[in-house]
Amino acid sequence: MAAVRMSMGQRIVELLRQESVSAVFSQGDITTRDVLMHAERAGMLTVGPRHEACAVFAAMGFYAVTGRPQAAFGAMGPGVANLLPAAVAASREHIPVLIFGARRHQGAAHAIRRGQWLSAPMEPLFAQICKFAVVIRHAAEVDDAVQEGFRRAVSGTPGPVYIEYDSMMHIQEWDYPALVPPSRYRAGPQSVSEATVRAATQLLGQAASPVLLVGEAVQHRRCQPLLASLAEKLGCPVLTTFAGSGVIAASHPQALLFQSEAGQQAISQSDLVLAVGTCFPENTNYGRLQAFAANDAQRKVISVDADLAAMGANRPVDLAVAG
């Protein structure tokens, strides 16, 4: 297919739309106008917050409701700086959101001068917080940057990514090739092997007092109905991490508050913990302290998670179910 000439702002919108992004959160500004214009023309929801941090927080909330990452934009200088506090929250809460920041053009940003206007370097700050941070230095690089952004944002444990571009680059035109669909540049959900499922089933069948510990990934993967079905089939106590609150109704007859005496007793008396979508964070005592320390030598642990790097990090597990 022949190349199509368009502005970088329009290309960003096309890249976002094919990833099912339906909302763009940004204060109107000369450094984001082309993106917002094409987003509106494409029928996307464009939201202008009172503060740039609210743009990221709103995108996070939209993700919590829809299960699809959204995009937030900030104007050069304080606009991008105001995105930073919300990026910290997205990182700590493992929310995938694409954060775009405009900056002064390269000649001003890298000049050996004093007193430049709106030229504070922001990418190094976001790089310390986000799963991925990159500076687009040419309109031809936008596909690679956005595709890598989505790849990092939704893989393993989700999180925010930061993409920076020169302030007026979004209006520059370039001959872009046909879009590559997401299924060709990033992997989708992975299936668990039958052998692993059989091993997990055998351990569960042998357990006399299992406990189900549930984390935020159940929310990320939108599998609450499957979780409820699993809980009812096991008929065991169900506890959630702080971040996993709400994935099962607090009124459910099997639900126990983790911090409650009943919850702690259920853990200490358990002979198997099935951890779904959690890395055993600090607020669950890393899965090895306090109530977990009781009877731990006789307790089996099954960890179910999409992030291979998270399993076994905070405490050893007997079976890792990746998928």
Side-chain angles (χ1 to χ4, degrees), residues 15-297:
L15 289 162
L16 295 177
R17 289 184 68 206
Q18 75 162 0
E19 283 278 6
S20 298
V21 173
S22 55
V24 174
F25 301 86
S26 173
Q27 289 185 328
D29 184 78
I30 191 174
T31 60
T32 59
R33 66 183 181 186
D34 201 63
V35 174
L36 298 177
M37 177 182 68
H38 285 289
E40 286 191 346
R41 288 177 177 176
M44 298 176 71
L45 178 66
T46 56
V47 181
R50 295 289 298 273
H51 189 279
E52 288 84 0
C54 294
V56 180
F57 285 127
M60 292 166 61
F62 207 99
Y63 169 78
V65 173
T66 66
R68 299 189 181 105
Q70 305 299 317
F73 287 76
M76 63 182 182
V80 177
N82 286 341
L83 296 170
L84 195 59
V88 174
S91 175
R92 295 298 90 189
E93 296 177 22
H94 305 146
I95 304 296
V97 56
L98 268 73
I99 302 171
F100 290 83
R103 68 168 188 171
R104 292 292 302 280
H105 63 81
Q106 295 188 48
H110 299 289
I112 305 176
R113 302 169 187 158
R114 293 179 181 271
Q116 292 109 311
W117 183 61
L118 303 179
S119 61
M122 299 304 302
E123 185 271 338
L125 301 179
F126 282 92
Q128 296 181 60
I129 295 164
C130 297
K131 291 187 69 179
F132 172 68
V134 66
V135 177
I136 299 175
R137 303 185 187 279
H138 191 280
E141 300 173 356
V142 66
D143 284 27
D144 287 344
V146 176
Q147 290 169 0
E148 182 68 13
F150 276 105
R151 190 181 296 119
R152 300 285 191 94
V154 300
S155 64
T157 298
V161 300
Y162 177 70
I163 299 173
E164 189 172 277
Y165 59 88
D166 282 8
S167 56
M168 299 309 294
M169 185 182 289
H170 68 305
I171 64 174
Q172 294 179 2
E173 293 189 343
W174 188 254
D175 292 328
Y176 289 101
L179 285 171
V180 177
S183 61
R184 295 188 59 193
Y185 63 76
R186 63 179 180 84
Q190 302 300 296
S191 299
V192 182
S193 70
E194 291 185 12
T196 302
V197 173
R198 285 196 299 269
T201 303
Q202 183 177 8
L203 285 175
L204 286 166
Q206 295 170 348
S209 303
V211 165
L212 185 55
L213 178 66
V214 188
E216 64 204 66
V218 171
Q219 166 76 5
H220 294 319
R221 305 292 173 175
R222 285 302 189 274
C223 50
Q224 293 95 325
L226 289 173
L227 171 72
S229 177
L230 173 64
E232 290 166 9
K233 184 166 291 189
L234 292 174
C236 67
V238 181
L239 302 94
T240 67
T241 64
F242 281 168
S245 298
V247 296
I248 191 167
S251 58
H252 192 285
Q254 294 168 234
L256 293 177
L257 185 65
F258 181 89
Q259 295 80 12
S260 68
E261 183 177 349
Q264 294 294 292
Q265 185 176 352
I267 292 170
S268 64
Q269 295 179 356
S270 66
D271 59 356
L272 182 144
V273 173
L274 175 58
V276 180
T278 178
C279 65
F280 291 101
E282 181 181 8
N283 58 43
T284 59
N285 309 124
Y286 300 114
R288 53 186 168 80
L289 304 175
Q290 296 189 27
F292 285 103
N295 193 41
D296 195 51

